[in-house]
């Protein structure tokens, strides 16, 4: 079964950290670009980070301005998982976070249309 499963969400206080995981099954991520998106209540879905892997050796990561310097995306091909390390969390980071993938060798993951989606994980930042 082809699927993406996110995990790691939860409730944290401002300034704390969380690491989200996006585990793939039924396909191998080293031929795919993977993006992290989020959607807050009443707002449009926002792409916050993505990563492209070229032959599983070279990785190209991109970040939205809203998370640049605070979030880090990484990929572990042995675990077929992409991570989003989130630091210095703010209340405005509260949202449902989704990962998505698309088969591509394009080093610019920002221009891709993602066609495989996970179910999402809730992140709440509140004191």
């Amino acid at each position: 079964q082809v699927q993406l499963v996110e995990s790691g969400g939860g409730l944290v206080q401002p300034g704390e950290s969380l690491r989200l995981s996006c585990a793939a099954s039924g396909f191998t991520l080293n031929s795919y670009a993977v993006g992290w998106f989020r959607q807050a209540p009443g707002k449009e879905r926002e792409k916050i980070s993505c990563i492209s892997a070229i032959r599983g050796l070279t990785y190209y990561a991109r970040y939205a301005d809203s998370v640049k310097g605070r979030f880090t995306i990484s990929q572990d091909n042995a675990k077929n998982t992409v991570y989003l390390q989130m630091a210095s969390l703010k209340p405005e980071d509260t949202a449902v976070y989704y990962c998505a993938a698309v088969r591509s060798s394009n080093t610019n993951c920002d221009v891709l249309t993602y066609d495989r989606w996970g179910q999402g994980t809730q992140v709440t930042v509140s004191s």
Side-chain angles (χ1 to χ4, degrees):
Q1 184 178 1
V2 174
Q3 62 178 353
L4 293 168
V5 178
E6 302 96 335
S7 61
L11 171 63
V12 296
Q13 294 188 345
E16 294 186 338
S17 299
L18 272 178
R19 188 179 77 161
L20 304 183
S21 300
C22 173
S25 59
F27 66 105
T28 53
L29 286 176
N30 61 5
S31 298
Y32 286 74
V34 177
W36 281 99
F37 299 74
R38 67 185 181 188
Q39 188 165 21
K43 294 189 176 181
E44 292 189 355
R45 186 175 63 198
E46 172 191 18
K47 178 157 55 68
I48 56 173
S49 184
C50 61
I51 188 167
S52 302
I54 307 305
R55 298 188 184 89
L57 296 176
T58 305
Y59 298 92
Y60 299 84
R62 294 180 181 263
Y63 300 92
D65 288 342
S66 57
V67 305
K68 197 172 294 182
R70 299 189 298 123
F71 291 10
T72 304
I73 192 170
S74 62
Q75 184 165 336
D76 185 337
N77 288 329
K79 295 184 178 180
N80 211 26
T81 299
V82 169
Y83 301 98
L84 186 68
Q85 180 68 49
M86 306 186 295
S88 302
L89 283 162
K90 306 174 182 180
E92 52 263 43
D93 293 318
T94 296
V96 178
Y97 284 69
Y98 301 89
C99 67
V102 60
R103 187 178 182 92
S104 176
S105 59
N106 193 330
T107 58
N108 185 358
C109 52
D110 266 345
V111 303
L112 301 174
T113 299
Y114 293 80
D115 57 11
R116 298 184 181 190
W117 290 82
Q119 82 290 348
T121 185
Q122 176 71 46
V123 172
T124 303
V125 184
S126 175
S127 55

